[in-house]
Amino acid sequence: MERMLSGIKPSGQLTLGNYIGALRNFVKYQDDYEMIVFIANLHCITVYQDPKELRKNLKDAVALYLACGLDPEKAIIFLQSDVMEHAQLGHILCCNTYMGELNRMTQYKDKASKGETGLTAGFYVYPTLMAADILIYDADYVPVGEDQKQHVELARDIANRFNNRYSETFRVPEPVVQKVGARIMSLSDPNKKMSKSDHGDKGCIYLLDDLNVARKKVMSAVTDSIGMINFDPVNQPGISNLIQIMASLNGESIEKVVEKYKDCGYGEFKKAVADVVCDTLSKIQERYHEIINSNELEKVLEEGAKKASYLAHKKLLKVQRKVGLDIFKK
Ligand code: AQP
């Protein structure tokens, strides 16, 4: 069976963007692939996180993974920092990555070009840690949202470079970007991605939002004065975003949604989108409340870390051998 790997960085509460762009796909893929899904807590701290809040976000994220339908019998689910080999391989890959490559990573470039001060070294090199997350399991595929594709491409470059330099070691992964829902936009600024770190932003729907709050956010989504339900992300980004949300959650094509609502006013369409969003959130939240205080989470993470560590450790030993770091064969 081919292997697929992905992770989410709970640097805040998980959003509808994370659900549509990532989580719900993991659930579909777990039947057809050997699925490895982790909580990327080491990536969270590339930007300062309040420890208490971080711990809560991590716990909620595991509960949400399960609430959205990830099944620990089918997928390996674990906390990144529980498998120390990620960070060890990360360092080795960092030594096989050029600064020029990291300078070209959009997330770093965007922040640096805005003159953001206080960017950490961890933030700068995090694409190499992400490469380690992927390459340590010899993943065939990595499902990502549009914005993360560049990181998988860097992982491919690093894998090829390492294989050429030290002989065949890593499988070269392929990114998988879905056609619909790869980039859900903020409801208050549809030209900007819906991001979990936009705390308190009414353009961001969190999976644990109160349903009335979520409904209000959809109803006050920024649209346009054209007054037609068209899928036109350039001229009607707000409406196109709502169409995309509806299509993703209902499993319908963009064309089908447009056809169905083309004679509706914006208010009526927003109400239909709000209904679908609230229906999705209410199902997830019901299951979340059943598991958040059970001992299921601890068991899942312990079991997942054991399975992941077995694979990661074997790979790290192989890499260390190739690089010449060991003296005696282990
Ligand atoms: N708005 C989105 N639309 C579609 N997919 C999304 N993803 C995130 N936001 C959207 C996808 O979810 C996966 C996990 O992402 P992540 O949380 O690890 O990182 P991120 O993309 O940096 O998410 P945020 O919410 O924007 O985080 P912050 O605010 O901390 O920077 C990825 O596959 C991602 O593409």
Side-chain angles (χ1 to χ4, degrees):
M1 208 182 225
E2 289 179 304
R3 190 173 281 169
M4 189 171 257
L5 173 127
S6 203
I8 295 184
K9 165 180 65 113
S11 43
Q13 282 284 314
L14 300 195
T15 69
L16 188 68
N18 289 132
Y19 177 72
I20 294 176
L23 267 174
R24 72 185 180 121
N25 305 316
F26 303 168
V27 175
K28 275 189 257 157
Y29 294 136
Q30 67 183 347
D31 290 323
D32 302 321
Y33 295 91
E34 189 186 339
M35 193 74 197
I36 302 181
V37 190
F38 65 100
I39 309 274
N41 59 350
L42 293 176
H43 288 291
C44 289
I45 59 165
T46 54
V47 173
Y48 173 77
Q49 306 284 323
D50 173 70
K52 214 163 130 198
E53 213 173 294
L54 176 61
R55 204 166 283 124
K56 176 175 177 354
N57 288 336
L58 296 176
K59 188 173 173 199
D60 279 346
V62 193
L64 284 169
Y65 274 23
L66 302 180
C68 289
L70 267 175
D71 177 354
E73 297 291 321
K74 296 181 184 166
I76 300 180
I77 303 167
F78 66 99
L79 202 57
Q80 187 185 22
S81 62
D82 282 345
V83 181
M84 293 173 207
E85 286 81 356
H86 285 235
Q88 283 173 272
L89 181 63
H91 174 72
I92 297 174
L93 298 187
C94 209
C95 299
N96 284 277
T97 306
Y98 296 108
M99 288 176 68
E101 290 175 307
L102 296 178
N103 291 340
R104 284 195 292 276
M105 293 290 111
T106 7
Q107 285 178 1
Y108 168 75
K109 232 168 59 180
D110 283 356
K111 289 195 193 253
S113 70
K114 282 183 201 142
E116 251 186 64
T117 53
L119 292 183
T120 66
F123 178 75
Y124 181 63
V125 297
Y126 101 84
T128 57
L129 178 59
M130 183 166 161
D133 299 333
I134 299 167
L135 301 182
I136 205 160
Y137 298 106
D138 277 327
D140 295 284
Y141 299 106
V142 185
V144 282
E146 193 61 59
D147 55 315
Q148 296 278 349
K149 200 170 154 214
Q150 192 192 24
H151 292 137
V152 183
E153 269 147 19
L154 178 69
R156 288 169 59 83
D157 291 344
I158 298 174
N160 280 320
R161 180 172 309 137
F162 194 99
N163 289 347
N164 290 333
R165 200 172 263 176
Y166 297 104
S167 83
E168 200 61 28
T169 308
F170 295 118
R171 187 163 299 162
V172 181
E174 294 282 342
V176 180
V177 182
Q178 57 181 337
K179 288 200 182 80
V180 179
R183 195 169 165 84
I184 299 299
M185 310 308 274
S186 161
L187 299 176
S188 56
D189 177 358
N191 291 308
K192 191 174 130 254
K193 188 185 133 197
M194 184 183 284
S195 269
K196 66 175 101 61
S197 55
D198 293 337
H199 301 289
D201 177 4
K202 58 184 181 41
C204 180
I205 294 188
Y206 295 99
L207 294 179
L208 295 177
D209 265 349
D210 176 272
L211 298 187
N212 289 324
V213 171
R215 180 172 290 281
K216 251 199 191 136
K217 288 179 181 172
V218 177
M219 293 310 291
S220 50
V222 167
T223 51
D224 53 66
S225 55
I226 295 174
M228 305 263 291
I229 310 282
N230 287 320
F231 187 73
D232 179 353
V234 175
N235 299 308
Q236 294 185 259
I239 281 296
S240 302
N241 191 36
L242 292 175
I243 293 173
Q244 190 158 206
I245 291 173
M246 170 76 106
S248 305
L249 296 181
N250 269 353
E252 290 172 342
S253 66
I254 298 279
E255 294 74 25
K256 175 104 188 273
V257 174
V258 173
E259 177 58 31
K260 215 154 111 189
Y261 293 96
K262 68 178 191 307
D263 299 324
C264 289
Y266 285 176
E268 198 182 337
F269 179 55
K270 282 180 177 176
K271 188 181 168 306
V273 176
D275 287 344
V276 178
V277 168
C278 288
D279 186 46
T280 305
L281 296 194
S282 100
K283 286 183 187 132
I284 295 173
Q285 290 177 10
E286 192 180 325
R287 175 85 180 110
Y288 163 88
H289 288 299
E290 282 165 19
I291 44 189
I292 188 65
N293 289 320
S294 70
N295 58 3
E296 196 178 337
L297 302 183
E298 205 175 339
K299 271 202 248 153
V300 166
L301 291 183
E302 204 179 302
E303 200 47 42
K306 232 189 265 169
K307 291 182 193 160
S309 294
Y310 173 76
L311 299 170
H313 190 65
K314 247 182 22 186
K315 191 76 189 182
L316 182 70
L317 287 182
K318 184 173 181 182
V319 170
Q320 295 192 155
R321 224 168 28 243
K322 297 256 179 146
V323 176
L325 291 176
D326 56 350
I327 302 175
F328 301 109
K329 197 165 186 240
K330 290 180 195 121

Short mmCIF file of all heavy atoms in Angstrom, two decimals, residues 230-276:
data_model
loop_
_atom_site.label_atom_id
_atom_site.label_comp_id
_atom_site.label_asym_id
_atom_site.label_seq_id
_atom_site.Cartn_x
_atom_site.Cartn_y
_atom_site.Cartn_z
N ASN A 230 -21.85 33.95 -9.14
CA ASN A 230 -20.92 33.48 -10.17
C ASN A 230 -19.66 32.99 -9.49
O ASN A 230 -19.26 33.54 -8.47
CB ASN A 230 -20.44 34.66 -11.04
CG ASN A 230 -21.52 35.14 -11.96
OD1 ASN A 230 -22.27 34.33 -12.52
ND2 ASN A 230 -21.61 36.44 -12.11
N PHE A 231 -19.00 31.98 -10.11
CA PHE A 231 -17.69 31.60 -9.59
C PHE A 231 -16.64 32.37 -10.37
O PHE A 231 -16.31 32.03 -11.51
CB PHE A 231 -17.47 30.09 -9.69
CG PHE A 231 -16.21 29.67 -9.00
CD1 PHE A 231 -16.15 29.66 -7.60
CD2 PHE A 231 -15.07 29.32 -9.71
CE1 PHE A 231 -14.98 29.31 -6.93
CE2 PHE A 231 -13.89 28.97 -9.04
CZ PHE A 231 -13.85 28.96 -7.66
N ASP A 232 -16.17 33.46 -9.77
CA ASP A 232 -15.22 34.34 -10.43
C ASP A 232 -14.29 34.91 -9.34
O ASP A 232 -14.51 36.02 -8.84
CB ASP A 232 -16.00 35.46 -11.14
CG ASP A 232 -15.08 36.45 -11.84
OD1 ASP A 232 -13.84 36.35 -11.67
OD2 ASP A 232 -15.60 37.33 -12.55
N PRO A 233 -13.28 34.12 -8.94
CA PRO A 233 -12.44 34.52 -7.81
C PRO A 233 -11.76 35.88 -7.98
O PRO A 233 -11.43 36.51 -6.99
CB PRO A 233 -11.39 33.40 -7.72
CG PRO A 233 -12.02 32.23 -8.37
CD PRO A 233 -12.90 32.78 -9.45
N VAL A 234 -11.58 36.34 -9.23
CA VAL A 234 -10.91 37.63 -9.41
C VAL A 234 -11.87 38.78 -9.13
O VAL A 234 -11.59 39.69 -8.34
CB VAL A 234 -10.31 37.75 -10.83
CG1 VAL A 234 -9.73 39.14 -11.07
CG2 VAL A 234 -9.25 36.66 -11.03
N ASN A 235 -13.05 38.73 -9.76
CA ASN A 235 -13.97 39.86 -9.62
C ASN A 235 -14.97 39.69 -8.49
O ASN A 235 -15.55 40.65 -8.01
CB ASN A 235 -14.72 40.08 -10.94
CG ASN A 235 -13.76 40.41 -12.05
OD1 ASN A 235 -12.94 41.31 -11.91
ND2 ASN A 235 -13.82 39.63 -13.13
N GLN A 236 -15.23 38.43 -8.08
CA GLN A 236 -16.18 38.20 -6.99
C GLN A 236 -15.58 37.21 -5.98
O GLN A 236 -16.08 36.10 -5.80
CB GLN A 236 -17.49 37.62 -7.56
CG GLN A 236 -18.23 38.60 -8.47
CD GLN A 236 -19.57 38.02 -8.91
OE1 GLN A 236 -19.69 37.54 -10.03
NE2 GLN A 236 -20.56 38.04 -8.03
N PRO A 237 -14.47 37.62 -5.34
CA PRO A 237 -13.77 36.67 -4.45
C PRO A 237 -14.62 36.19 -3.27
O PRO A 237 -14.50 35.03 -2.87
CB PRO A 237 -12.54 37.46 -3.98
CG PRO A 237 -12.88 38.89 -4.20
CD PRO A 237 -13.80 38.94 -5.37
N GLY A 238 -15.46 37.07 -2.74
CA GLY A 238 -16.26 36.69 -1.56
C GLY A 238 -17.28 35.62 -1.89
O GLY A 238 -17.38 34.58 -1.22
N ILE A 239 -18.05 35.86 -2.95
CA ILE A 239 -19.08 34.90 -3.37
C ILE A 239 -18.41 33.59 -3.82
O ILE A 239 -18.86 32.49 -3.49
CB ILE A 239 -19.95 35.51 -4.50
CG1 ILE A 239 -20.98 36.47 -3.89
CG2 ILE A 239 -20.66 34.45 -5.34
CD1 ILE A 239 -22.00 35.82 -2.95
N SER A 240 -17.28 33.71 -4.53
CA SER A 240 -16.59 32.50 -5.00
C SER A 240 -16.12 31.65 -3.83
O SER A 240 -16.15 30.43 -3.87
CB SER A 240 -15.39 32.88 -5.88
OG SER A 240 -15.85 33.65 -6.96
N ASN A 241 -15.67 32.34 -2.76
CA ASN A 241 -15.22 31.62 -1.57
C ASN A 241 -16.40 30.87 -0.94
O ASN A 241 -16.27 29.70 -0.56
CB ASN A 241 -14.64 32.65 -0.57
CG ASN A 241 -13.92 32.00 0.58
OD1 ASN A 241 -13.26 30.97 0.41
ND2 ASN A 241 -14.02 32.58 1.76
N LEU A 242 -17.56 31.53 -0.87
CA LEU A 242 -18.73 30.87 -0.28
C LEU A 242 -19.16 29.67 -1.15
O LEU A 242 -19.54 28.61 -0.65
CB LEU A 242 -19.90 31.85 -0.13
CG LEU A 242 -19.68 32.97 0.91
CD1 LEU A 242 -20.85 33.96 0.90
CD2 LEU A 242 -19.50 32.40 2.32
N ILE A 243 -19.07 29.85 -2.47
CA ILE A 243 -19.42 28.74 -3.38
C ILE A 243 -18.47 27.57 -3.11
O ILE A 243 -18.89 26.41 -3.03
CB ILE A 243 -19.30 29.19 -4.87
CG1 ILE A 243 -20.36 30.23 -5.19
CG2 ILE A 243 -19.41 27.98 -5.81
CD1 ILE A 243 -20.23 30.85 -6.59
N GLN A 244 -17.21 27.89 -2.95
CA GLN A 244 -16.20 26.85 -2.71
C GLN A 244 -16.46 26.11 -1.38
O GLN A 244 -16.34 24.90 -1.31
CB GLN A 244 -14.83 27.51 -2.70
CG GLN A 244 -13.74 26.52 -2.71
CD GLN A 244 -12.42 27.08 -3.22
OE1 GLN A 244 -11.64 26.31 -3.72
NE2 GLN A 244 -12.17 28.36 -3.11
N ILE A 245 -16.84 26.87 -0.37
CA ILE A 245 -17.13 26.25 0.94
C ILE A 245 -18.33 25.31 0.79
O ILE A 245 -18.30 24.15 1.22
CB ILE A 245 -17.42 27.34 2.01
CG1 ILE A 245 -16.12 28.11 2.32
CG2 ILE A 245 -18.01 26.74 3.28
CD1 ILE A 245 -16.27 29.31 3.23
N MET A 246 -19.37 25.81 0.14
CA MET A 246 -20.58 25.00 -0.05
C MET A 246 -20.26 23.73 -0.85
O MET A 246 -20.65 22.63 -0.47
CB MET A 246 -21.62 25.87 -0.79
CG MET A 246 -22.82 25.16 -1.29
SD MET A 246 -23.93 24.82 0.06
CE MET A 246 -25.20 26.00 -0.22
N ALA A 247 -19.53 23.90 -1.96
CA ALA A 247 -19.21 22.75 -2.82
C ALA A 247 -18.39 21.72 -2.04
O ALA A 247 -18.66 20.51 -2.11
CB ALA A 247 -18.44 23.21 -4.06
N SER A 248 -17.41 22.18 -1.28
CA SER A 248 -16.55 21.26 -0.53
C SER A 248 -17.35 20.50 0.51
O SER A 248 -17.21 19.28 0.64
CB SER A 248 -15.45 22.03 0.20
OG SER A 248 -14.73 22.81 -0.68
N LEU A 249 -18.18 21.21 1.26
CA LEU A 249 -18.89 20.54 2.36
C LEU A 249 -20.00 19.62 1.86
O LEU A 249 -20.32 18.61 2.48
CB LEU A 249 -19.45 21.56 3.35
CG LEU A 249 -18.39 22.40 4.08
CD1 LEU A 249 -19.04 23.36 5.05
CD2 LEU A 249 -17.38 21.52 4.82
N ASN A 250 -20.60 19.98 0.71
CA ASN A 250 -21.68 19.14 0.18
C ASN A 250 -21.17 18.07 -0.77
O ASN A 250 -21.96 17.25 -1.26
CB ASN A 250 -22.67 20.01 -0.61
CG ASN A 250 -23.77 20.52 0.28
OD1 ASN A 250 -23.85 20.12 1.43
ND2 ASN A 250 -24.62 21.38 -0.25
N GLY A 251 -19.89 18.13 -1.11
CA GLY A 251 -19.34 17.17 -2.07
C GLY A 251 -19.92 17.37 -3.47
O GLY A 251 -20.08 16.42 -4.23
N GLU A 252 -20.24 18.64 -3.79
CA GLU A 252 -20.78 18.93 -5.13
C GLU A 252 -19.73 19.69 -5.94
O GLU A 252 -18.80 20.26 -5.38
CB GLU A 252 -22.02 19.81 -4.99
CG GLU A 252 -23.20 19.09 -4.39
CD GLU A 252 -24.37 20.03 -4.09
OE1 GLU A 252 -24.18 21.26 -4.01
OE2 GLU A 252 -25.47 19.52 -3.91
N SER A 253 -19.94 19.73 -7.26
CA SER A 253 -19.00 20.52 -8.07
C SER A 253 -19.38 22.00 -7.95
O SER A 253 -20.51 22.35 -7.60
CB SER A 253 -19.09 20.08 -9.54
OG SER A 253 -20.36 20.41 -10.04
N ILE A 254 -18.40 22.86 -8.28
CA ILE A 254 -18.63 24.31 -8.29
C ILE A 254 -19.81 24.62 -9.23
O ILE A 254 -20.73 25.38 -8.89
CB ILE A 254 -17.35 25.04 -8.81
CG1 ILE A 254 -16.16 24.77 -7.88
CG2 ILE A 254 -17.61 26.49 -9.08
CD1 ILE A 254 -16.08 25.61 -6.65
N GLU A 255 -19.80 23.98 -10.41
CA GLU A 255 -20.85 24.25 -11.43
C GLU A 255 -22.23 23.92 -10.87
O GLU A 255 -23.19 24.65 -11.08
CB GLU A 255 -20.61 23.41 -12.70
CG GLU A 255 -19.36 23.74 -13.49
CD GLU A 255 -18.07 23.26 -12.82
OE1 GLU A 255 -18.14 22.28 -12.04
OE2 GLU A 255 -17.00 23.86 -13.06
N LYS A 256 -22.31 22.80 -10.16
CA LYS A 256 -23.61 22.37 -9.61
C LYS A 256 -24.12 23.41 -8.60
O LYS A 256 -25.30 23.77 -8.61
CB LYS A 256 -23.40 20.99 -8.96
CG LYS A 256 -24.57 20.41 -8.23
CD LYS A 256 -25.24 19.31 -9.04
CE LYS A 256 -26.53 18.86 -8.40
NZ LYS A 256 -26.31 17.80 -7.41
N VAL A 257 -23.23 23.91 -7.75
CA VAL A 257 -23.65 24.89 -6.73
C VAL A 257 -24.12 26.16 -7.43
O VAL A 257 -25.17 26.72 -7.09
CB VAL A 257 -22.49 25.19 -5.75
CG1 VAL A 257 -22.86 26.32 -4.79
CG2 VAL A 257 -22.11 23.93 -4.96
N VAL A 258 -23.35 26.61 -8.43
CA VAL A 258 -23.72 27.84 -9.14
C VAL A 258 -25.09 27.66 -9.80
O VAL A 258 -25.98 28.52 -9.69
CB VAL A 258 -22.65 28.22 -10.19
CG1 VAL A 258 -23.12 29.39 -11.05
CG2 VAL A 258 -21.33 28.54 -9.51
N GLU A 259 -25.29 26.52 -10.44
CA GLU A 259 -26.54 26.24 -11.13
C GLU A 259 -27.72 26.26 -10.15
O GLU A 259 -28.77 26.85 -10.40
CB GLU A 259 -26.40 24.86 -11.83
CG GLU A 259 -27.61 24.32 -12.55
CD GLU A 259 -28.11 25.25 -13.65
OE1 GLU A 259 -27.26 25.96 -14.23
OE2 GLU A 259 -29.35 25.28 -13.89
N LYS A 260 -27.49 25.66 -8.99
CA LYS A 260 -28.55 25.54 -7.98
C LYS A 260 -28.97 26.90 -7.40
O LYS A 260 -30.12 27.12 -7.09
CB LYS A 260 -28.02 24.65 -6.85
CG LYS A 260 -29.05 23.75 -6.21
CD LYS A 260 -28.40 22.53 -5.60
CE LYS A 260 -28.45 22.50 -4.11
NZ LYS A 260 -27.63 21.41 -3.54
N TYR A 261 -27.99 27.80 -7.23
CA TYR A 261 -28.29 29.05 -6.51
C TYR A 261 -28.27 30.28 -7.41
O TYR A 261 -28.35 31.41 -6.93
CB TYR A 261 -27.30 29.24 -5.34
CG TYR A 261 -27.51 28.19 -4.27
CD1 TYR A 261 -26.74 27.03 -4.24
CD2 TYR A 261 -28.51 28.33 -3.31
CE1 TYR A 261 -26.95 26.05 -3.28
CE2 TYR A 261 -28.73 27.36 -2.35
CZ TYR A 261 -27.95 26.22 -2.34
OH TYR A 261 -28.16 25.25 -1.40
N LYS A 262 -28.17 30.08 -8.71
CA LYS A 262 -27.96 31.25 -9.60
C LYS A 262 -29.09 32.28 -9.54
O LYS A 262 -28.85 33.45 -9.80
CB LYS A 262 -27.65 30.80 -11.03
CG LYS A 262 -28.78 30.14 -11.78
CD LYS A 262 -28.29 29.83 -13.20
CE LYS A 262 -29.33 29.40 -14.17
NZ LYS A 262 -30.22 28.31 -13.84
N ASP A 263 -30.29 31.85 -9.16
CA ASP A 263 -31.39 32.82 -9.11
C ASP A 263 -31.63 33.38 -7.71
O ASP A 263 -32.61 34.10 -7.48
CB ASP A 263 -32.68 32.16 -9.64
CG ASP A 263 -32.50 31.74 -11.09
OD1 ASP A 263 -31.81 32.48 -11.83
OD2 ASP A 263 -33.00 30.65 -11.47
N CYS A 264 -30.75 33.04 -6.77
CA CYS A 264 -30.94 33.50 -5.39
C CYS A 264 -30.26 34.85 -5.15
O CYS A 264 -29.27 35.17 -5.81
CB CYS A 264 -30.28 32.54 -4.41
SG CYS A 264 -31.11 30.99 -4.28
N GLY A 265 -30.76 35.56 -4.16
CA GLY A 265 -30.06 36.77 -3.70
C GLY A 265 -28.92 36.34 -2.79
O GLY A 265 -28.87 35.19 -2.34
N TYR A 266 -28.01 37.28 -2.47
CA TYR A 266 -26.87 36.94 -1.62
C TYR A 266 -27.31 36.48 -0.22
O TYR A 266 -26.72 35.57 0.35
CB TYR A 266 -25.91 38.14 -1.49
CG TYR A 266 -25.06 38.38 -2.73
CD1 TYR A 266 -24.20 39.48 -2.79
CD2 TYR A 266 -25.10 37.52 -3.81
CE1 TYR A 266 -23.41 39.72 -3.91
CE2 TYR A 266 -24.31 37.75 -4.94
CZ TYR A 266 -23.47 38.85 -4.98
OH TYR A 266 -22.69 39.08 -6.08
N GLY A 267 -28.36 37.14 0.31
CA GLY A 267 -28.82 36.79 1.67
C GLY A 267 -29.27 35.34 1.73
O GLY A 267 -28.90 34.59 2.65
N GLU A 268 -30.04 34.94 0.74
CA GLU A 268 -30.57 33.57 0.70
C GLU A 268 -29.42 32.56 0.54
O GLU A 268 -29.38 31.51 1.18
CB GLU A 268 -31.54 33.47 -0.47
CG GLU A 268 -32.47 32.28 -0.39
CD GLU A 268 -33.38 32.21 -1.63
OE1 GLU A 268 -33.59 33.28 -2.28
OE2 GLU A 268 -33.86 31.11 -1.94
N PHE A 269 -28.47 32.91 -0.33
CA PHE A 269 -27.33 32.01 -0.57
C PHE A 269 -26.49 31.88 0.71
O PHE A 269 -26.09 30.78 1.11
CB PHE A 269 -26.49 32.52 -1.74
CG PHE A 269 -25.30 31.66 -2.03
CD1 PHE A 269 -25.45 30.28 -2.28
CD2 PHE A 269 -24.00 32.19 -2.05
CE1 PHE A 269 -24.35 29.47 -2.52
CE2 PHE A 269 -22.90 31.38 -2.30
CZ PHE A 269 -23.08 30.01 -2.54
N LYS A 270 -26.25 33.02 1.36
CA LYS A 270 -25.45 32.97 2.60
C LYS A 270 -26.14 32.09 3.63
O LYS A 270 -25.49 31.34 4.36
CB LYS A 270 -25.28 34.38 3.18
CG LYS A 270 -24.23 35.21 2.49
CD LYS A 270 -24.15 36.58 3.17
CE LYS A 270 -23.07 37.45 2.59
NZ LYS A 270 -23.07 38.79 3.19
N LYS A 271 -27.48 32.18 3.69
CA LYS A 271 -28.21 31.36 4.68
C LYS A 271 -28.00 29.87 4.38
O LYS A 271 -27.78 29.06 5.28
CB LYS A 271 -29.70 31.73 4.67
CG LYS A 271 -30.45 31.05 5.77
CD LYS A 271 -31.93 31.37 5.79
CE LYS A 271 -32.66 30.44 6.75
NZ LYS A 271 -32.45 29.00 6.51
N ALA A 272 -28.04 29.53 3.08
CA ALA A 272 -27.84 28.12 2.71
C ALA A 272 -26.42 27.67 3.08
O ALA A 272 -26.21 26.56 3.57
CB ALA A 272 -28.09 27.94 1.21
N VAL A 273 -25.43 28.55 2.86
CA VAL A 273 -24.04 28.20 3.20
C VAL A 273 -23.93 28.05 4.73
O VAL A 273 -23.33 27.09 5.23
CB VAL A 273 -23.04 29.27 2.69
CG1 VAL A 273 -21.62 28.95 3.14
CG2 VAL A 273 -23.10 29.38 1.18
N ALA A 274 -24.55 28.98 5.45
CA ALA A 274 -24.49 28.93 6.92
C ALA A 274 -25.10 27.62 7.43
O ALA A 274 -24.58 27.00 8.37
CB ALA A 274 -25.21 30.13 7.52
N ASP A 275 -26.21 27.18 6.81
CA ASP A 275 -26.84 25.91 7.23
C ASP A 275 -25.87 24.75 7.07
O ASP A 275 -25.73 23.91 7.95
CB ASP A 275 -28.10 25.62 6.38
CG ASP A 275 -29.25 26.54 6.77
OD1 ASP A 275 -29.18 27.17 7.84
OD2 ASP A 275 -30.21 26.65 5.96
N VAL A 276 -25.19 24.71 5.92
CA VAL A 276 -24.26 23.59 5.66
C VAL A 276 -23.07 23.65 6.62
O VAL A 276 -22.63 22.64 7.18
CB VAL A 276 -23.75 23.65 4.19
CG1 VAL A 276 -22.76 22.54 3.92
CG2 VAL A 276 -24.91 23.54 3.23
#
